């Protein structure tokens, strides 16, 4: 029962959060406004391979960070939950048994679902409903999973970043990567990540060490993470250059590379959903920092060899900027 301030001592929320969306956020904020503390339990069987429970719990941590929401607790995974299709009574019994084992004693269940009242009755605690008709936030996890990109406006950017495909554009210098990356972001109505290495190269007047190349790779990754969580993303994030190319430059200019840079380069195979190799069929443009056309050809051969050695699937892009945009559009929209 609520105390004389109208608040419950300890609220319980149980759900899949697959994915965490605006309706879930509203439910949790409502619970926090009506309870001295709130415990959230994420569970599903089968789980969601593309967003397993640790990922979903981490979304909650990021959207509701502990320093801002100290009264919100995330409960751990529990073994052998019932199948999602199991009768409600089986889930009710399971929830009660696990809570007893954890010594978690809520006095109210907060839900937007029909299972709330019988679960509360089984636990012998109160039930606090929130927007059961979904008028405040007309969305569900099922609807979002059917087309996550069409429903992205219901997702916090921290959550939507998980579903955005990172598209890498690689190639030697003066192969049009930077121009193409920006053009693709405009064509797809999304964001892009510029090449961070140029910042460091110009700052150091071209006198780079292996430590500088590690700085470049880490700085570039930080720009990616920032862009991936920026509102306005739409399906894809286009990225100019990867750590594998940075590794090549470290060897070309320093004859060495740090182990940490090797590890970041190895991650390129997993990190990018698609990789495009910009061909060296464009006229070479000298900007005061680049090598000559012959050296560009050697760089291009090294990059192609690296892609094939790592087993990274890639598509080659040739022709004008317009032709290359059309090639990428045709591949990604298949």
């Amino acid at each position: 029962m609520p105390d004389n301030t109208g608040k419950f001592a300890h609220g319980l929320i149980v759900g899949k959060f697959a994915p965490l969306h605006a309706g879930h956020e509203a439910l949790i904020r409502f619970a926090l406004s009506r309870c001295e503390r709130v415990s959230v339990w994420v569970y599903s069987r089968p789980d969601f391979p593309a967003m397993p429970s640790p990922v979903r719990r981490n979304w909650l941590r990021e959207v509701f960070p502990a320093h801002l929401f100290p009264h919100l607790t995330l409960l751990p995974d529990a073994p052998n939950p019932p199948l999602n299709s199991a009768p409600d009574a089986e889930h009710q019994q399971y929830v009660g048994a696990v809570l007893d084992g954890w010594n978690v004693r809520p006095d109210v269940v907060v839900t937007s679902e029909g299972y709330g009242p019988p679960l509360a009755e089984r636990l012998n605690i109160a039930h606090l409903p929130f927007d059961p008709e979904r008028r405040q936030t007309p969305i569900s996890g099922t609807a979002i999973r059917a087309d996550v990109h069409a429903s992205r406006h219901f997702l916090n950017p921290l959550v939507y970043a998980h579903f955005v495909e990172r598209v890498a554009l690689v190639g030697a210098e003066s192969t049009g990567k930077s121009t193409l990356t920006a053009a693709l972001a405009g064509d797809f109505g999304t964001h892009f990540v510029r090449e961070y290495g140029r910042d460091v190269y110009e700052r150091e007047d071209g006198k780079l060490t292996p430590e500088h190349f590690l700085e470049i790779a880490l700085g570039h990754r930080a720009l990616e993470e920032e862009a991936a969580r920026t509102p306005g993303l739409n399906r894809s994030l286009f990225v100019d250059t990867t750590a594998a190319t940075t590794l090549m430059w470290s060897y070309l200019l320093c004859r060495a590379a740090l182990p940490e840079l090797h590890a970041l380069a190895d991650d390129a195979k997993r990190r990018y959903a698609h990789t495009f190799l910009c061909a060296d069929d464009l006229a070479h443009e000298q900007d005061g920092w680049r090598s000559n056309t012959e050296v560009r050809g050697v760089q291009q051969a090294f990059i192609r060899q690296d892609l094939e050695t790592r087993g990274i699937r890639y598509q080659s892009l040739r022709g004008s900027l317009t032709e290359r945009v059309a090639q990428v559009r045709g591949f990604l929209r298949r």
Side-chain angles (χ1 to χ4, degrees):
M1 294 294 292
D3 60 20
N4 55 12
T5 68
K7 282 195 170 187
F8 291 89
H10 187 180
L12 172 68
I13 296 175
V14 181
K16 299 182 183 73
F17 303 96
L20 176 68
H21 57 66
H24 295 136
E25 291 186 41
L27 171 69
I28 293 171
R29 291 178 188 277
F30 171 75
L32 287 167
S33 73
R34 295 294 307 275
C35 304
E36 295 296 338
R37 63 190 181 101
V38 174
S39 292
V40 179
W41 182 4
V42 179
Y43 92 76
S44 177
R45 182 184 174 197
D47 208 353
F48 297 86
M51 45 175 162
S53 58
V55 169
R56 304 199 305 278
R57 277 197 302 276
N58 197 52
W59 288 336
L60 287 160
R61 291 189 184 96
E62 291 188 289
V63 175
F64 296 94
H67 68 284
L68 295 178
F69 301 92
H71 306 303
L72 181 66
T73 301
L74 300 181
L75 299 174
D77 280 332
N80 304 317
L83 291 170
N84 294 337
S85 58
D88 286 350
E90 188 173 337
H91 282 275
Q92 295 159 15
Q93 181 178 0
Y94 175 76
V95 169
V98 172
L99 292 177
D100 286 343
W102 283 339
N103 197 30
V104 173
R105 309 292 183 190
D107 58 344
V108 63
V109 175
V110 188
T111 76
S112 297
E113 306 283 354
Y115 67 75
L119 176 59
E121 183 177 356
R122 167 63 179 79
L123 298 177
N124 194 29
I125 60 178
H127 174 246
L128 193 58
F130 173 75
D131 194 24
E133 297 179 353
R134 308 291 174 90
R135 291 178 179 173
Q136 179 173 316
T137 310
I139 195 60
S140 68
T142 301
I144 291 177
R145 290 193 298 274
D147 190 342
V148 68
H149 301 293
S151 301
R152 63 187 181 277
H153 54 287
F154 288 108
L155 301 178
N156 188 295
L158 299 175
V159 175
Y160 184 59
H162 179 80
F163 301 98
V164 172
E165 292 187 329
R166 301 184 190 207
V167 180
L169 286 92
V170 298
E173 60 186 9
S174 193
T175 53
K177 298 187 306 300
S178 299
T179 302
L180 178 58
T181 304
L184 286 168
D187 186 73
F188 281 77
T190 188
H191 300 322
F192 71 95
V193 178
R194 62 183 174 81
E195 183 182 9
Y196 182 69
R198 185 61 173 262
D199 296 9
V200 179
Y201 192 78
E202 293 184 3
R203 185 194 76 201
E204 300 298 330
D205 196 29
K207 300 177 179 64
L208 301 185
T209 66
E211 287 74 18
H212 286 127
F213 283 103
L214 177 59
E215 176 193 347
I216 288 169
L218 291 172
H220 190 86
R221 177 171 287 225
L223 287 179
E224 281 188 32
E225 295 303 324
E226 180 182 31
R229 293 160 178 252
T230 301
L233 273 178
N234 181 14
R235 295 181 182 271
S236 302
L237 174 65
F238 294 97
V239 181
D240 179 356
T241 305
T242 73
T245 300
T246 304
L247 177 69
M248 176 199 75
W249 279 107
S250 185
Y251 276 107
L252 286 177
L253 297 185
C254 303
R255 305 295 188 267
L258 297 176
E260 296 90 340
L261 180 54
H262 275 276
L264 292 172
D266 290 342
D267 189 49
K269 183 174 182 179
R270 176 200 64 81
R271 189 170 182 81
Y272 303 101
H274 306 282
T275 300
F276 292 96
L277 174 63
C278 295
D280 55 355
D281 58 342
L282 300 176
H284 186 275
E285 295 185 5
Q286 181 53 260
D287 61 358
W289 297 95
R290 293 168 175 163
S291 302
N292 57 36
T293 303
E294 290 72 24
V295 173
R296 180 179 70 166
V298 173
Q299 297 165 3
Q300 189 77 349
F302 275 131
I303 291 171
R304 185 185 295 274
Q305 184 268 342
D306 184 80
L307 290 169
E308 295 181 357
T309 299
R310 295 181 188 277
I312 296 175
R313 297 178 60 183
Y314 66 93
Q315 301 292 319
S316 294
L317 303 175
R318 308 187 68 83
S320 68
L321 175 63
T322 300
E323 290 170 328
R324 292 181 181 204
V325 168
Q327 290 164 35
V328 174
R329 187 191 307 121
F331 184 81
L332 294 185
R333 292 179 175 170
R334 286 176 183 172

